[in-house]
Amino acid sequence: MPSYKYTNAAGRILWFCSFYYQDYSGKRIKKKKQGFTTKREADAWERDYLAKKTGSPSMTFSQLAENYLADAAARVKPTTAQEVSKALHRCILPTFGDMPIDTITPAAVRQWVNDLLATGAALGSIATYKNVFSRVMRFACRFYGLASNPVAAADPVKASARMQEEKRIRVWTQEQFARFILSGLQPEYIALFSTLFWTGARVGEVIALTVADIDFHKKEISITKDVEPLDGRRYRAQTPKTPASIRRVSMPVQLAEILRDWIRVSEAVRPSDMLFHFKDRSSANNMLHEGAARVGLPAISVHDLRHSHASMLVHLGFAPIVIRDRLGHKDIQTTLNIYSHLYPSVADTVAARLSAMNGMK
């Protein structure tokens, strides 16, 4: 539709555009936008808006990505939307942003993956970028008439020896953790790292704990929230990663004593008082690395304390379903995908016992 002149309250001549469009659900919507200084600006805004809202297989990938992010903002957690946006802007839009989506081919996607491999990018990261890319193109197939998903048609990023090494879980044993926790840490770090190691909770879940979440009578911790970063140094509470993440985790006696002492020292008395007051997670990682170096332990990350807890449970003989519930995984397959490699020794034990039974007459 054409653009129109109008005179604003100050007597200035400006332009506005008014038009109808049909969104992806088929609904007809009227849109008006005013305040443009020239007709060209008004016309250009209308063209861009229609390209974003109505979409077509000839829209650019950057327009598609903008539509996808707007849709995702209403459907996923802010942290998830931020991660998707980061992946798009870091590794996908620089290559495909100006390309019409119907010109993106499986061969182009494969070359993009090869280029990332050539830069030495982590294979796990490449797989994540490719997954985000595929989700956005799947969105185009569903709502904007794209015939097929070229990312899905491209070969997957296969696990190789390099990827397996990158994904290798690094853990500490109970004895190693005991050496670390006695390395001269401040009381708050002792409480934090002990909670992570003895519960297997995610670091965000632990940072979000309040006094009310600790039940010393039942020796349980209620995990009902997580934290999301606001500006890299501040956090706010949000719901956990998945509904399965809402759980009650039993505490061993030693952890209950550590937390009781820490709450007393920190003077956290109200139920809503936070147990921990870290400005950012990097400070915990730095302290973990420094303490490990002091006592000659292999370097691990804060998240590896969660893996250490799971490894301890495996070697104590607990079934995957028990570990799933304690860690708050959404399904048993997630648990098996991460920790199945820890079970061979358990399988050998089963085989040995079955062999012994066969010999019993």
Side-chain angles (χ1 to χ4, degrees), residues 27-102:
K27 184 178 179 181
R28 193 163 184 262
I29 301 173
K30 183 176 182 180
K31 180 68 178 179
K32 179 180 179 180
K33 177 71 173 178
Q34 59 187 28
F36 301 102
T37 57
T38 66
K39 183 178 187 302
R40 179 178 296 180
E41 289 178 359
D43 290 342
W45 189 91
E46 179 179 341
R47 285 194 304 272
D48 290 344
Y49 189 88
L50 287 173
K52 294 173 184 175
K53 288 298 182 180
T54 59
S56 73
S58 62
M59 71 195 301
T60 64
F61 183 78
S62 62
Q63 291 171 334
L64 172 64
E66 186 175 339
N67 290 1
Y68 179 84
L69 290 172
D71 182 81
R75 296 172 179 271
V76 302
K77 291 180 182 297
T79 46
T80 301
Q82 289 170 12
E83 290 302 314
V84 170
S85 178
K86 186 185 298 183
L88 283 167
H89 286 89
R90 177 179 295 170
C91 262
I92 306 172
L93 284 168
T95 300
F96 297 99
D98 294 333
M99 293 178 63
I101 59 176
D102 58 1

Side-chain angles (χ1 to χ4, degrees), residues 13-14 40 99 112 134 164 202 213 234 264 286 345:
I13 296 177
L14 299 173
R40 179 178 296 180
M99 293 178 63
W112 168 72
S134 185
Q164 293 299 335
R202 302 176 180 91
D213 295 324
R234 295 181 299 123
R264 176 180 53 79
N286 292 340
S345 61

Side-chain angles (χ1 to χ4, degrees), residues 95-96 108-121 126:
T95 300
F96 297 99
V109 175
R110 184 180 180 87
Q111 183 59 52
W112 168 72
V113 170
N114 289 340
D115 291 343
L116 289 175
L117 289 169
T119 67
I126 296 174

